[in-house]
Amino acid sequence: MTKNTQAAQSLVECLVANGADTAFCVPGESYLAVLDALYDVREKIKLITCRQEGGTSTMAEAYGKLTGRPGICFVTRGPGATNASIGVHTAFQDSSPMIMFIGQVARDQYDREAFQEVDYRQMFGPLAKWVAEIREADRIPEYVNRAFHVAQSGRPGPVVLALPEDMLVEALPANHVTPLPATPPKAAPDQTTLDKLAEELARAERPVMILGGQGWTSEAVKDIQQFAEKHNLPTGCAFRFQDLFDNNHPNYMGDVGIGINPKLFKRVQDADLILNVGARLGEMTSSGYSLLDIPFPKQKLVMVHTGAEETGHVYRAHLSFTCSLPEMARALKKLPAENTGRRTEYVADARADYESWNNPLGDLKGSKTGDVHLGEIYSYLNKAMPKDAILTNGAGNYAIWLHRFFRYSTFRSQLAPTSGAMGYALPAALAAKITAPDRPVVCFTGDGDFMMTCQELATAAHHNVPVTILLFNNGMYGTIRMHQERTYPDRVSATALTNPDFAALAQAYGLNGVKVTKTSEFAPAFETALGADKTTVIEIIVDPQALTPAATLDDIRKK
């Protein structure tokens, strides 16, 4: 048997055939043969060594979200797979294409509770689109090809494949076949329903459009913007999909998500037609399912989604399309527009509401608390952030300022977990910079969020990945503290944090670290970090009272 006839080599050949150029891993003895096979293609596939499997799977998810192609990761069995489950869950809830390969015990050890043995079909069944185990070496091309199809077709998502370690070193026939790349289907909207939609748009007095989901392209985003202009439609973006429509455009009305502008919430509720393109209208986008009536919205709901299972899942649609989003955007751009001038004032009012809400220098008590004024920082960031920058964030109250005040203008510039996964920001930022090395990457994270995956600073140092990290440190799990003060005021339990010196921690990894304690210190620190050739952590000391833009911690407690 030679290396070229090993099953592991066949697996790697399938990755190359499907255009994989990057893989993220924490190495494990259960898939040593694959690591060896990847050595032979090191000029084609970058192998990124991570420090914990949660970071590994999150990087693969972020790669899938940014590129639209499956992010690839390898983890070892048992503890490695359980650590990695967070990224699989995020990929499922965020509809991100991803394939995770897990080393598995040898086939003759099944069902004995062998060392680190887990039945991954049961474990990942609710978290992935498809979970399988490759038990016959000659079926590797079949399984891997199917994995690429499933991850990218319909509603994108994660696939998990388990690899028994003895299977990976089996010999294959000399004539074993490597498949052609997977070609996910592209579905077009049907013309009859498009004609009905055109009629509904012509009649609508108070229509709104909501954009979201995965499967968009740069061309599709341009097409949908032209459609909004042509039909005079106020347009919002679903939770953590704010980069699908230029936030500086006069038709943009804000993000439809958690912490929604109350005026935008009412505008959507009062709409006579909602054109929802790509978004699932899940809990966060629908404000806890309070935005629309279930199962029959009072508005005429037009549901466009790539997955047939989403139509009618929660809401009964007036019209529905199951199709590819680029195909839908192209078709919408061609729809005739009639008598849209009557909605000019309606669109202008929606825009005015957004601009008032979006003003970080407005009369907002929480934004002016302490020595670091977050409102002023975001006013600066809107001017200083490079237009092509990629911004990442995880979960926490610090993200409220980013979502409310930053204006996204470039497609695929926002990487954030709709799953609400803490620890997402740093691994996603590293994956983004590895994937798009010519674009600046800025990571927004909190002290709680950062400590979930801070060991990936070692990955940044090891692979020389320069990103700018804005770490907002208020010494607590802010979101939980906010809810705690609302529900159980003055009874603080488990939400206070003891932190390291984050700037010094970065320096310990050989990276740059700086601490900001006053608003005036931020701009020069940010400008220096953007020009640095290695990762910089800017630790921003935030007053615990600055819990939300509009209300201090004391305000929330009193209410």
Side-chain angles (χ1 to χ4, degrees):
M1 181 177 68
T2 65
K3 195 180 299 183
N4 285 336
T5 60
Q6 272 191 350
Q9 184 66 30
S10 174
L11 175 65
V12 172
E13 288 174 357
C14 291
L15 295 181
V16 172
N18 278 281
D21 56 15
T22 307
F24 305 91
C25 80
V26 171
E29 64 189 74
S30 59
Y31 69 96
L32 276 175
V34 177
L35 292 173
D36 184 65
L38 285 167
Y39 181 85
D40 291 332
V41 297
R42 58 192 181 279
E43 301 300 323
K44 296 180 180 178
I45 298 180
K46 290 178 291 187
L47 186 60
I48 306 300
T49 305
C50 308
R51 299 306 294 266
Q52 205 258 16
E53 291 87 358
T56 301
S57 58
T58 296
M59 290 186 204
E61 188 279 340
Y63 176 99
K65 188 176 284 175
L66 185 63
T67 66
R69 306 190 308 272
I72 306 297
C73 65
F74 288 90
V75 300
T76 197
R77 62 195 179 215
T82 51
N83 281 341
S85 63
I86 185 170
V88 178
H89 179 256
T90 299
F92 190 81
Q93 289 225 321
D94 288 44
S95 305
S96 302
M98 170 182 167
I99 303 173
M100 185 167 80
F101 296 94
I102 306 173
Q104 175 61 300
V105 301
R107 290 167 292 182
D108 62 355
Q109 298 176 1
Y110 284 166
D111 301 324
R112 293 176 175 172
E113 198 183 342
F115 180 61
Q116 299 180 337
E117 180 182 5
V118 175
D119 185 335
Y120 298 110
R121 286 170 295 192
Q122 291 192 56
M123 175 181 169
F124 286 104
L127 301 182
K129 286 188 70 177
W130 180 47
V131 187
E133 191 163 282
I134 309 178
R135 298 192 175 189
E136 292 84 26
D138 60 355
R139 295 185 66 185
I140 284 176
E142 171 193 342
Y143 275 87
V144 176
N145 193 51
R146 179 178 172 186
F148 274 90
H149 273 283
V150 172
Q152 300 175 85
S153 300
R155 176 186 167 189
V159 170
V160 176
L161 291 180
L163 310 170
E165 60 181 319
D166 62 320
M167 181 275 296
L168 289 172
V169 295
E170 276 191 355
L172 290 174
N175 61 347
H176 74 277
V177 176
T178 299
L180 294 172
T183 53
K186 296 180 180 179
D190 70 282
Q191 189 58 50
T192 300
T193 312
L194 280 171
D195 292 340
K196 292 178 182 178
L197 174 58
E199 295 172 4
E200 296 290 0
L201 284 169
R203 284 193 291 264
E205 297 292 333
R206 300 179 307 281
V208 298
M209 182 164 64
I210 300 172
L211 308 178
Q214 299 291 348
W216 292 91
T217 63
S218 297
E219 192 63 31
V221 167
K222 293 177 184 176
D223 288 344
I224 207 72
Q225 183 169 302
Q226 291 179 27
F227 165 71
E229 294 167 351
K230 181 178 176 182
H231 289 261
N232 226 356
L233 292 175
T235 302
C237 294
F239 181 58
R240 291 180 168 163
F241 289 103
Q242 289 163 265
D243 60 350
L244 293 179
F245 201 92
D246 184 355
N247 296 181
N248 296 303
H249 193 282
N251 286 68
Y252 184 70
M253 63 178 182
D255 60 301
V256 184
I258 188 171
I260 187 174
N261 179 355
K263 291 185 177 180
L264 177 55
F265 183 91
K266 188 175 188 307
R267 185 172 299 279
V268 176
Q269 284 206 317
D270 291 345
D272 54 8
L273 177 70
I274 298 174
L275 175 55
N276 176 70
V277 186
R280 290 180 49 238
L281 296 182
E283 178 186 357
M284 304 307 270
T285 297
S286 66
S287 297
Y289 300 106
S290 64
L291 189 61
L292 308 177
D293 294 340
I294 299 174
F296 303 110
K298 63 182 180 182
Q299 310 90 335
K300 289 182 178 179
L301 174 63
V302 180
M303 188 77 174
V304 182
H305 204 274
T306 56
E309 71 279 4
E310 286 303 315
T311 302
H313 186 194
V314 179
Y315 304 103
R316 171 69 166 83
H318 178 67
L319 296 174
S320 63
F321 298 85
T322 300
C323 59
S324 305
L325 299 181
E327 302 293 327
M328 185 66 186
R330 191 178 303 116
L332 287 175
K333 186 177 70 169
K334 297 176 182 178
L335 280 187
E338 297 180 14
N339 195 25
T340 61
R342 70 189 190 283
R343 294 199 288 258
T344 299
E345 185 177 350
Y346 173 69
V347 172
D349 288 345
R351 179 65 188 180
D353 289 343
Y354 167 71
E355 291 185 349
S356 175
W357 174 259
N358 174 250
N359 179 13
L361 299 179
D363 187 18
L364 300 165
K365 191 183 296 185
S367 293
K368 301 176 181 178
T369 300
D371 293 328
V372 174
H373 291 177
L374 294 179
E376 292 184 31
I377 285 178
Y378 276 95
S379 177
Y380 164 79
L381 285 173
N382 272 317
K383 301 170 186 173
M385 187 70 69
K387 186 176 176 62
D388 62 339
I390 300 171
L391 282 63
T392 73
N393 69 267
N397 259 35
Y398 70 89
I400 294 175
W401 275 266
L402 177 62
H403 282 12
R404 177 168 173 177
F405 297 128
F406 188 77
R407 294 191 181 185
Y408 293 89
S409 61
T410 304
F411 175 55
R412 284 184 175 154
S413 60
Q414 181 185 32
L415 294 180
T418 65
S419 69
M422 291 191 73
Y424 183 89
L426 175 57
L430 299 180
K433 188 63 177 179
I434 290 165
T435 306
D438 295 332
R439 295 179 65 179
V441 176
V442 181
C443 165
F444 290 72
T445 186
D447 49 336
D449 182 77
F450 183 74
M451 286 292 284
M452 297 282 181
T453 51
C454 66
Q455 68 275 4
E456 300 307 337
L457 285 178
T459 304
H462 181 68
H463 291 284
N464 300 312
V465 185
V467 301
T468 299
I469 301 170
L470 307 184
L471 197 165
F472 298 88
N473 179 6
N474 64 0
M476 61 183 168
Y477 286 124
T479 301
I480 312 307
R481 180 68 177 276
M482 177 181 69
H483 292 299
Q484 191 172 63
E485 292 288 1
R486 284 173 175 168
T487 312
Y488 305 103
D490 280 323
R491 294 177 62 83
V492 179
S493 176
T495 51
L497 298 174
T498 298
N499 291 317
D501 183 326
F502 290 112
L505 179 64
Q507 293 166 9
Y509 282 104
L511 306 173
N512 298 326
V514 61
K515 189 170 296 190
V516 168
T517 59
K518 297 179 181 178
T519 307
S520 60
E521 297 170 349
F522 178 77
F526 183 73
E527 291 169 8
T528 301
L530 281 182
D533 60 358
K534 57 184 174 181
T535 286
T536 301
V537 173
I538 302 177
E539 180 184 1
I540 304 162
I541 305 302
V542 178
D543 192 317
Q545 286 290 332
L547 202 51
T548 72
T552 65
L553 188 152
D554 286 343
D555 292 332
I556 293 169
R557 182 185 296 131
K558 290 174 184 176
K559 288 181 180 179

